[in-house]
Amino acid sequence: MEQRHFAVLVVGAGASGLGAAIRLGQAGVDDLVVLEKAATLGGTWRDNTYPGCACDVPSALYSYSFAPNPGWTRAFAGQAEIRTYLRDTASRFGVTDKIRYGVEVTRAQWNAGAARWELETSQGPYTARILVAGTGPWHEPNMPDLPGLGGFPGEVFHSARWNHEHDLAGKRVAVIGTGASAVQFVPEIAPRVARLHLFQRTAQWVLPKPDHPVPGVERFLLRRFPALQRALRSAEYGAMETLGFGFRHPWLLRQVQKVGLAHLRLTVRDPALRKALTPDYTLGCKRLLMSNTYYRALTRSTVDVHATAVSSVSGNRVLGADGTAAEVDTIIFGTGFHILDMPVSARVFDNDGRSLDDHWKGSPQAFAGTTVAGFPNLYLLLGPSLGTGHSSAFMILEAQLRHTVAAVTRTLRSDRASVSVRPEVQAAFNAEVQAALPGTVYQSGGCSSYYTDVNGRNSFSWPFSTGRLRARVGSFDEADYEIA
């Protein structure tokens, strides 16, 4: 019969879940399984296949430090290449056979009496001593509930669920949202459509992207001399950290804004369009965007920029809040993800049957973004208050994995029943983070962003350096935890 109880159960086979499985395996944890609801691995890099999808962090940083890839073909790797990297890395470290596909976790509840997690899934029950949630924040698309959208007679889809069967050639297309995804796919589809209507609620800062093909000789040298690749990674980390210093000292970012304004001025000659595309907040307050083609695409004669939010849809007409309207055949949403109201939080319950959602009440909190008071033996990867506006998610993830692996191995080797963060420790950590946020660009930059939750609290951002994050999040101290 199929094994249903494990020492460790990992949910999700994206970068987070795969990293957890690899690191736990290297630490000697063999009684482990990864449950993945899809038919293949890859997480967000499996789901996002829109035209132009690529990383906005340098490739050398956007990878596991323990699995460097000397073969990146571009300075900023594309979606297919990143997904291949994840697949090859999983195979290389022997975790592919630990993945069970087509298994969606619908409920996970802690049983204090049995000291284990009890899961309900699409393929029956599972139990585990320890639960690692690698579901990530960039997973569930955010689809706005626009009045009249249900009656739209054409095709509607989100960029994270791109409909490749729908031919955009000759179509009139409305793009709603101007975030990181739209900046990448708009230049790809603009030459193909008959008319593109871009609805922009807020102008974005867009910097030039230092992307380029990596020459074969460079890839050879990186493969032949690993020290060169480590040096490249260190140099790129240093460059991103220099930018990150500005996120904590916003006046410096106003100097960087001059690059963005020059980029806009040199590309967009029409004064009215340039004015519509000029942000009115400090760079970094929203997610930093980079593109060499986005502004150019918006200058095409077949592209209309509507500097307004969308109020509703009426028949085949998309109506702007400012009274503008556009008749279209297709609507594409580039409206991001449920970053702070992740679906996993409604499916994970404590011993009393209260979910993470019930505990958080709209404002996610965790100790070191990883463990939650009242939820023993649970580890969240890429959890709340760890987001940076400039660095790699892999760097955050690996700090959490050091914390998680240390906690898990000590729990299993000492045969402890459970490890749960002390409520006062979690409260102190979050108070420290919240006290530091007002001085950062996330809070003082003059914008509204997805960093802010429904209660007006920034539950996403890390207000200190990534060096401090790696030291603080990456260390496991038993004094912070209640040991049963």
Side-chain angles (χ1 to χ4, degrees):
M1 294 180 63
E2 182 184 67
Q3 182 180 351
R4 291 284 180 164
H5 177 77
F6 296 86
V8 180
L9 194 151
V10 178
V11 181
S16 299
L18 294 174
I22 292 169
R23 281 313 212 191
L24 286 166
Q26 290 176 326
V29 180
D30 296 320
D31 187 15
L32 174 149
V33 71
V34 180
L35 302 185
E36 170 55 57
K37 69 178 182 179
T40 57
L41 60 77
T44 191
W45 296 106
R46 174 200 59 229
D47 296 341
N48 286 270
T49 60
Y50 59 80
C53 183
C55 189
D56 52 11
V57 173
S59 305
L61 281 180
Y62 202 81
S63 53
Y64 303 112
S65 64
F66 55 83
N69 177 21
W72 295 118
T73 62
R74 296 198 67 86
F76 292 77
Q79 172 265 336
E81 197 167 7
I82 296 172
R83 185 180 177 188
T84 297
Y85 165 76
L86 292 174
R87 183 195 64 206
D88 292 348
T89 302
S91 176
R92 171 184 166 192
F93 286 91
V95 301
T96 305
D97 292 341
K98 293 186 177 294
I99 304 173
R100 294 186 180 176
Y101 294 107
V103 184
E104 180 177 3
V105 176
T106 55
R107 182 184 178 92
Q109 182 164 357
W110 174 250
N111 183 329
R116 69 184 189 184
W117 283 95
E118 298 177 342
L119 282 71
E120 300 173 7
T121 80
S122 58
Q123 300 297 322
Y126 283 81
T127 58
R129 291 185 61 189
I130 295 164
L131 183 63
V132 179
T135 50
W138 298 284
H139 172 61
E140 190 66 26
N142 180 21
M143 285 287 287
D145 185 19
L146 292 176
L149 182 62
F152 180 69
E155 188 70 23
V156 178
F157 55 89
H158 191 279
S159 61
R161 301 292 184 268
W162 196 273
N163 184 356
H164 292 278
E165 301 299 317
H166 181 63
D167 186 5
L168 293 175
K171 298 291 194 303
R172 299 170 299 173
V173 178
V175 173
I176 301 175
T178 55
S181 299
V183 163
Q184 293 183 343
F185 74 73
V186 164
E188 298 292 323
I189 69 172
R192 297 160 46 195
V193 304
R195 198 86 195 172
L196 192 152
H197 295 273
L198 179 70
F199 285 86
Q200 170 195 273
R201 183 174 59 183
T202 307
Q204 301 277 3
W205 283 105
V206 182
L207 298 179
K209 190 172 186 178
D211 191 21
H212 58 83
V214 179
V217 64
E218 181 178 333
R219 299 199 299 272
F220 169 78
L221 291 172
L222 292 173
R223 186 176 294 107
R224 180 68 177 82
F225 302 103
L228 288 178
Q229 189 168 11
R230 291 192 295 271
L232 174 62
R233 184 181 177 98
S234 296
E236 291 182 345
Y237 174 77
M240 300 303 280
E241 276 305 285
T242 300
L243 180 61
F245 186 79
F247 281 68
R248 303 186 299 279
H249 302 83
W251 65 271
L252 289 171
L253 291 176
R254 297 188 183 100
Q255 307 307 310
V256 182
Q257 285 179 187
K258 296 177 181 178
V259 177
L261 290 173
H263 180 44
L264 175 61
R265 186 169 57 252
L266 291 172
T267 310
V268 180
R269 298 296 186 181
D270 177 33
L273 178 58
R274 189 165 62 240
K275 181 179 179 181
L277 296 173
T278 302
D280 60 358
Y281 56 88
T282 304
L283 180 145
C285 184
K286 288 178 175 287
R287 181 174 174 178
L288 184 63
L289 306 179
M290 292 186 291
S291 174
N292 300 324
T293 57
Y294 179 66
Y295 284 149
R296 191 181 311 129
L298 301 186
T299 64
R300 298 178 68 93
S301 61
T302 55
V303 175
D304 295 307
V305 176
H306 304 273
T308 179
V310 173
S311 62
S312 62
V313 178
S314 177
N316 69 339
R317 300 170 73 237
V318 177
L319 307 178
D322 64 351
T324 59
E327 292 190 1
V328 297
D329 311 302
T330 304
I331 299 176
I332 304 174
F333 286 96
T335 44
F337 300 87
H338 288 275
I339 301 291
L340 297 174
D341 55 341
M342 297 176 286
V344 67
S345 60
R347 301 186 185 190
V348 177
F349 297 80
D350 65 12
N351 183 66
D352 298 323
R354 298 178 64 216
S355 69
L356 282 170
D357 271 349
D358 294 332
H359 280 256
W360 287 341
K361 295 182 174 60
S363 293
Q365 296 187 51
F367 170 60
T370 308
T371 53
V372 183
F375 291 80
N377 292 6
L378 171 69
Y379 300 90
L380 302 177
L381 301 181
L382 298 182
S385 298
L386 295 183
T388 70
H390 64 282
S391 195
S392 168
F394 279 81
M395 181 277 302
I396 301 168
L397 170 63
E398 290 197 40
Q400 288 190 280
L401 290 180
R402 287 194 295 275
H403 189 121
T404 299
V405 170
V408 169
T409 52
R410 293 187 198 183
T411 300
L412 296 179
R413 290 169 185 169
S414 61
D415 202 31
R416 294 164 173 165
S418 67
V419 173
S420 180
V421 65
R422 299 178 183 276
E424 65 273 17
V425 171
Q426 176 177 302
F429 174 85
N430 283 278
E432 180 185 7
V433 168
Q434 291 301 312
L437 278 168
T440 68
V441 72
Y442 311 119
Q443 299 293 94
S444 63
C447 75
S448 173
S449 74
Y450 69 65
Y451 304 145
T452 305
D453 62 34
V454 294
N455 298 316
R457 178 180 182 273
N458 186 330
S459 298
F460 182 83
S461 302
W462 174 257
F464 309 111
S465 70
T466 56
R468 185 166 173 175
L469 186 152
R470 294 164 74 181
R472 184 71 183 277
V473 175
S475 61
F476 171 74
D477 186 347
E478 288 192 0
D480 294 328
Y481 288 86
E482 296 172 347
I483 310 295

